[in-house]
Amino acid sequence: MESSRNKLIIIAAPSGAGKTSIVRCLLERLPEQLAFSVSCTTRSPRPGETDGKEYHFTTVESFESKIAKDELAEWEMVYFGKYYGTPVSELERIWQLGKTPLLDIDVKGGLNIRKRYPESSLAIFIDPPSLTELSRRLHARGTETPESLDARLNKATYEMSFKGEFDHVILNDELDKACNETEKLIRNFLQA
Ligand code: 5GP
């Protein structure tokens, strides 16, 4: 019998490391155990994104009011003055369902929330094969301007220096292999 209550799983990586694909794959493979934790952000929705699904898109005022009321389990200003944060209410909603929240968040946010829930979290760092490959993936995504691409690559270099602080590092050189390894870690964690 798996005990999922009040555990949480953090998947963090530099942008472009393939974190979102791994998160999607895990949600498909473990639908009874995991639920995606929908963050709040002040960035604008990208084409195809729906409020409440990928993110709760909010105003700066509303986000800052959540910070003031201590309603966020962690938050960061990730890029270009845009806030991103994990609402405590979102974690509680998922725990109420008897599932474990799966968080797709940035590296600093991942380490911060792990400090807040040290006994009950599993923190996994998704490692891109190289910065060259990371740059190629970000180009291929086609959602970046030259400036935002540069910002993401600079941040990625900085974020890679924190990977040793995570419980596990998964090299994403091949998506299926990375998903298999991550799934195994999560199954073990949920059963413990
Ligand atoms: P994007 O704008 O590409 O959706 O996300 C930018 C970065 O913000 C990604 O690394 C994503 O994982 C991270 N992110 C998403 N939600 C949160 C959150 O709630 N907290 C933090 N700290 N980072 C987040």
Side-chain angles (χ1 to χ4, degrees), residues 71-124:
E71 290 175 2
L72 300 174
E74 64 72 42
W75 62 272
E76 287 293 319
M77 191 169 265
V78 179
Y79 292 111
F80 306 112
K82 303 297 178 196
Y83 285 121
Y84 293 76
T86 305
V88 175
S89 60
E90 179 66 0
L91 302 179
E92 284 170 352
R93 178 187 72 80
I94 295 171
W95 287 327
Q96 285 288 323
L97 297 172
K99 296 190 181 187
T100 300
L102 184 64
L103 280 65
D104 169 343
I105 67 178
D106 87 322
V107 170
K108 261 179 86 189
L111 290 174
N112 284 341
I113 200 162
R114 181 162 169 265
K115 273 188 213 128
R116 183 166 172 149
Y117 302 97
E119 301 301 322
S120 49
S121 57
L122 176 71
I124 301 174

Side-chain angles (χ1 to χ4, degrees), residues 19-182:
K19 173 178 52 166
T20 305
S21 308
I22 293 181
V23 165
R24 272 201 210 112
C25 162
L26 293 169
L27 290 167
E28 275 170 24
R29 291 188 188 185
L30 299 165
E32 303 300 321
Q33 293 93 331
L34 304 180
F36 181 65
S37 165
V38 181
S39 297
C40 290
T41 183
T42 60
R43 84 149 162 77
S44 309
R46 295 190 185 122
E49 288 183 334
T50 315
D51 187 40
K53 189 167 171 247
E54 287 81 8
Y55 287 103
H56 296 289
F57 296 98
T58 82
T59 60
V60 171
E61 293 71 31
S62 156
F63 197 100
E64 288 178 345
S65 141
K66 288 181 202 303
I67 296 174
K69 289 192 252 164
D70 203 20
E71 290 175 2
L72 300 174
E74 64 72 42
W75 62 272
E76 287 293 319
M77 191 169 265
V78 179
Y79 292 111
F80 306 112
K82 303 297 178 196
Y83 285 121
Y84 293 76
T86 305
V88 175
S89 60
E90 179 66 0
L91 302 179
E92 284 170 352
R93 178 187 72 80
I94 295 171
W95 287 327
Q96 285 288 323
L97 297 172
K99 296 190 181 187
T100 300
L102 184 64
L103 280 65
D104 169 343
I105 67 178
D106 87 322
V107 170
K108 261 179 86 189
L111 290 174
N112 284 341
I113 200 162
R114 181 162 169 265
K115 273 188 213 128
R116 183 166 172 149
Y117 302 97
E119 301 301 322
S120 49
S121 57
L122 176 71
I124 301 174
F125 184 96
I126 306 297
D127 205 9
S130 66
L131 279 174
T132 314
E133 173 60 13
L134 197 69
S135 168
R136 196 199 58 74
R137 288 181 190 175
L138 286 171
H139 265 109
R141 196 152 88 176
T143 54
E144 306 307 319
T145 63
E147 294 75 32
S148 73
L149 185 72
D150 266 5
R152 283 180 191 257
L153 286 175
N154 284 337
K155 186 167 150 72
T157 309
Y158 171 71
E159 288 183 319
M160 307 261 269
S161 67
F162 292 100
K163 67 179 167 191
E165 294 183 36
F166 282 74
D167 297 317
H168 300 277
V169 176
I170 297 286
L171 177 67
N172 186 17
D173 53 350
E174 203 191 302
L175 182 61
D176 205 46
K177 181 167 95 22
C179 285
N180 289 344
E181 289 171 12
T182 314

